[in-house]
């Protein structure tokens, strides 16, 4: 038996000596966006300074942030009765912000008053990030109802984050007793992605659904009107780290301002109304991150979300086809119905083989493939800006690695 020749990508095969970056975030950005940033870095559009140096109160920056918001509104078809907010604190900050802002809203407070006891906050736990969201609101004193926490294996009886149970098994609260339902649509660590509309179809429309879309935002069309709020850190599909985005239905921003109790425990930096009232700039925003996001939004707009979805499915299929062809070697961790097209996770027969796989991939300029520290294995992140060629090159590497190593795995 002789080894199959492994193709080596010398760095010069890719423009600017770049690598295939499969990082889970911060992650790959569109090359055309990076080139535009580079061109304008020292002197933005003839204004004699970089966006990095620009006052957020200047007219030119005002047009950058309002243009970014307008582009995102067009791309996602965000209805007029929703606000788009540029925030800081990442998806983690929004764990607390979602709870604190919803509980301060007039609609939720009136509903609670009518019920005569604290409303429940429903949490759908499908992996590490929704689990962190649940932990955060428990810390803040929320009256939590866990709708589901992973899936119980019929074979072993053990619970794992490998998908979602049928809706008939969910423990949703009664609509009149529920403040909101929270879930994370794509679990970056565990590689579980909830199909579009799966949750909103299951929840009574009178209950606002809060969705963390940090790692699949802009990768497929979404009907924003079915959500109370969508929150997302930018550093996966939208831009560099440092900015998070909330798209919030305006009725949830209405409050009884005369009652100081309403916002007593709501810090200004987490207060959606504080940002909404100042066009996302009550204080200095992450100016450069928002600028780059605006360029990414335009890049997505040129293609459209239907095309983004087609490409995302094509990329994911290339890799999953190899996983499915050699399941005894590439062991997928997620039920096929819920496999993420953004973060693809699998293990190899041994830790040694995984280390070899990661090292040989790095030799071929494919980097950031190690699974999350809590899970191990391999994680391949295929975000919007990853060209189809990157997924194709990785799938070819997987196949050849299998050819060279599967005999020693037995």
């Amino acid at each position: 038996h002789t080894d199959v020749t492994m193709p080596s990508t010398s760095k010069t095969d890719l423009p600017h000596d770049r690598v295939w970056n499969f990082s889970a975030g911060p992650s790959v950005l569109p090359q055309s966006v990076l080139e535009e940033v580079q061109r304008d870095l020292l002197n933005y559009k003839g204004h004699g300074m970089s966006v990095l140096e620009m006052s957020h109160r200047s007219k030119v920056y005002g047009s950058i942030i309002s243009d970014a918001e307008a582009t995102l509104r067009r791309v996602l078809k965000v209805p007029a009765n929703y606000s788009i907010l540029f925030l800081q604190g990442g998806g983690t900050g929004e764990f607390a912000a979602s709870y604190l802002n919803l509980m301060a809203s007039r609609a939720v407070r009136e509903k609670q008053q009518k019920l005569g006891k604290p409303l429940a906050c429903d949490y759908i736990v499908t992996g590490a990030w929704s689990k962190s969201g649940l932990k955060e609101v428990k810390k803040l004193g929320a009256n939590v109802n866990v709708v589901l926490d992973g899936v119980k294996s019929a074979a072993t009886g053990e619970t794992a984050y490998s998908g979602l149970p049928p809706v008939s098994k969910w423990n949703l609260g009664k609509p009149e007793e529920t403040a909101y339902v929270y879930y994370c649509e794509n679990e970056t660590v565990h590689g579980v992605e909830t199909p579009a509309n799966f949750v909103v179809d299951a929840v009574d429309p009178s209950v606002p659904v809060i969705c963390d879309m940090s790692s699949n935002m802009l990768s497929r069309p979404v009907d924003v009107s079915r959500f109370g709020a969508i929150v997302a850190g930018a550093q996966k599909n939208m831009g560099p780290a440092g900015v998070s985005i909330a798209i919030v239905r305006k009725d949830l921003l209405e409050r009884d301002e005369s009652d100081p109790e309403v916002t007593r425990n709501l810090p200004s930096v987490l207060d959606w109304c504080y940002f909404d009232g100042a066009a996302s700039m009550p204080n200095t925003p992450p100016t450069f991150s928002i600028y780059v996001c605006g360029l990414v939004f335009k890049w997505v707009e040129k293609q459209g979300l239907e095309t983004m979805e087609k490409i995302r499915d094509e990329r994911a299929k290339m890799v999953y086809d190899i996983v499915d062809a050699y399941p005894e070697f590439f062991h997928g961790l997620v039920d096929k119905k819920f496999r993420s097209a953004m973060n693809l996770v699998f293990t190899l027969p041994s830790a040694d083989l995984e280390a070899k796989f990661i090292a040989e991939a790095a030799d071929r300029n494919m980097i950031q493939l190690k699974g999350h520290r809590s899970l191990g294995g391999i994680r391949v992140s295929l975000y919007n800006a990853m060209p189809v060629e990157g997924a194709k090159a990785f799938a070819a590497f997987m196949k050849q690695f299998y050819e060279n190593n599967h005999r020693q795995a037995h």
Side-chain angles (χ1 to χ4, degrees), residues 351-373:
D352 286 350
L353 274 172
E354 287 173 356
K356 188 179 179 189
F357 182 89
I358 290 162
E360 290 188 9
D363 287 344
R364 286 152 190 81
N365 302 311
M366 299 176 193
I367 66 155
Q368 295 291 334
L369 290 163
K370 195 174 182 180
H372 188 269
R373 61 190 179 276

Side-chain angles (χ1 to χ4, degrees), residues 387-405:
V388 170
E389 295 76 28
K392 195 174 179 181
F394 181 70
F397 164 70
M398 284 175 73
K399 188 166 197 286
Q400 284 158 349
F401 189 86
Y402 168 79
E403 297 291 350
N404 290 351
N405 295 280

Side-chain angles (χ1 to χ4, degrees), residues 138-345:
K138 275 184 174 173
K139 192 171 81 176
L140 295 170
N143 176 31
V144 167
N145 171 52
V146 180
V147 176
L148 63 96
D149 189 359
V151 186
K152 206 170 198 175
S153 159
T156 64
E158 285 179 15
T159 300
Y161 294 125
S162 58
L164 283 81
V167 176
S168 59
K169 299 258 171 73
W170 293 14
N171 177 37
L172 283 165
K174 291 178 183 167
E176 65 276 14
E177 295 181 3
T178 306
Y180 63 87
V181 175
Y182 184 98
Y183 79 108
C184 175
E185 195 161 85
N186 184 73
E187 288 283 359
T188 321
V189 172
H190 286 90
V192 174
E193 187 170 24
T194 306
N197 299 323
F198 196 75
V199 171
V200 287
D201 283 348
V203 174
D204 187 282
S206 70
V207 178
V209 174
I210 312 297
C211 180
D212 178 349
M213 284 192 193
S214 290
S215 53
N216 69 348
M217 186 80 141
L218 299 181
S219 73
R220 62 185 181 189
V222 57
D223 183 353
V224 174
S225 70
R226 300 193 69 188
F227 294 86
I230 293 168
V231 295
Q235 69 279 8
K236 321 280 189 186
N237 269 323
M238 293 190 286
V243 62
S244 41
I245 288 164
I247 302 172
V248 188
R249 208 173 64 214
K250 288 180 190 282
D251 63 291
L252 297 174
L253 296 171
E254 290 171 14
R255 293 179 188 158
D256 181 359
E257 299 293 348
S258 63
D259 181 356
E261 284 305 313
V262 171
T263 55
R264 187 169 302 287
N265 294 312
L266 178 50
S268 295
V269 289
L270 297 177
D271 186 343
W272 290 342
C273 290
Y274 182 60
F275 282 80
D276 188 45
S280 289
M281 296 199 287
N283 64 341
T284 307
T287 50
F288 195 74
S289 294
I290 293 168
Y291 153 64
V292 180
C293 283
L295 298 179
V296 174
F297 299 158
K298 283 184 176 145
W299 176 82
V300 172
E301 186 176 34
K302 268 189 205 138
Q303 297 165 88
L305 289 181
E306 286 76 11
T307 301
M308 297 311 293
E309 182 174 38
K310 200 167 142 258
I311 295 168
R312 95 181 206 135
D313 292 345
E314 188 185 343
R315 277 189 309 249
K317 186 178 186 304
M318 288 175 177
V319 175
Y320 282 135
D321 279 354
I322 303 294
V323 171
D324 293 342
Y326 311 110
E328 74 293 344
F329 191 79
F330 298 113
H331 175 59
L333 303 176
V334 181
D335 175 339
K336 285 185 186 181
K337 291 194 295 293
F338 301 104
R339 290 196 299 201
S340 173
M342 299 278 102
N343 310 101
L344 294 66
V345 295

Side-chain angles (χ1 to χ4, degrees), residues 35-62:
E35 286 167 347
E36 183 172 344
V37 169
Q38 185 183 43
R39 271 198 310 277
D40 288 338
L41 188 64
L42 293 179
N43 185 342
Y44 176 75
K45 312 286 185 208
H47 290 280
M49 68 180 94
S50 173
V51 176
L52 286 163
E53 306 166 293
M54 207 174 270
S55 165
H56 63 295
R57 300 291 177 210
S58 66
K59 199 172 170 186
V60 60
Y61 191 77

